[in-house]
Amino acid sequence: MTKTEDWADATERALLDAALDLAPMHGWTPRLIEAAGKTLGLSRAETSLLMPRGPVDLAALLSKRHDHVALKALSAIDPKTLKIRARIRAAVEARLNAAAADEASVRRWAGFMALPTHIPLAMSLLWESADHLWRWAGDTATDENHYSKRAILSGILVSALAIRLQSGQAQAMKFADARIENVMAFETWKATLKPQDLLRDVAVALSRLRYR
């Protein structure tokens, strides 16, 4: 890795840290990127180099950080010692905890992601999160189940997070437990899964995150 790459990675992380402090004030906007850059003493050119797409890049960076935090927490657990139901529950809880730690900023993030033009990005990031968690849980499916399982878990994650920030951890995990039952009854339930339903659920959950 070159010194330039070292600088970029370290400064990108610092920029996200600064943005998380400022997001409740500025929202998830270009102004947030500019303010975070100024906090670090970066020029506009340097800030643009790190975040060429502005808030879009920052939104993806936050989701990836929460994935990393969740997987780090899960690294203390040997999934082979748990039944699959318990693995998925632990994975969901770890991911919720990671996001809830940045609650104020996540609400502004959700408002940005709930915009119609950003729903595809939200779906992509949720899918990525679900894929990380399924892989930690030991899923090796390569057929249609690979996609259906991740679609189902994507919906669980975003809806449970909305509940977590609105009603607390207990209610969020109660919801997750009920939905995990759907995953366990996978062959029956996947037949009812429709892409438009997932899109609707994601949009509704993001709006709930934003407006409580």
Side-chain angles (χ1 to χ4, degrees), residues 80-92:
K80 294 179 181 178
T81 65
L82 302 174
K83 293 183 178 180
I84 186 63
R85 186 191 314 272
R87 296 181 200 180
I88 299 305
R89 189 184 199 279
V92 169

Side-chain angles (χ1 to χ4, degrees), residues 71-162:
L71 290 172
K72 184 175 180 180
L74 290 169
S75 68
I77 303 172
D78 181 358
K80 294 179 181 178
T81 65
L82 302 174
K83 293 183 178 180
I84 186 63
R85 186 191 314 272
R87 296 181 200 180
I88 299 305
R89 189 184 199 279
V92 169
E93 188 167 25
R95 188 58 175 76
L96 295 183
N97 288 342
D102 294 315
E103 176 177 347
S105 297
V106 166
R107 290 190 184 282
R108 303 311 295 263
W109 173 92
F112 176 79
M113 301 299 280
L115 296 173
T117 53
H118 298 147
I119 290 295
L121 174 63
M123 295 292 295
S124 176
L125 293 174
L126 283 167
W127 184 280
E128 186 174 283
S129 298
D131 184 55
H132 285 312
L133 298 182
W134 269 117
R135 289 181 185 278
W136 171 82
D139 180 65
T140 58
T142 57
D143 57 8
E144 65 176 287
N145 290 348
H146 172 92
Y147 302 99
S148 298
K149 287 180 179 179
R150 281 148 183 80
I152 292 169
L153 188 54
S154 294
I156 293 174
L157 288 173
V158 68
S159 296
L161 179 58

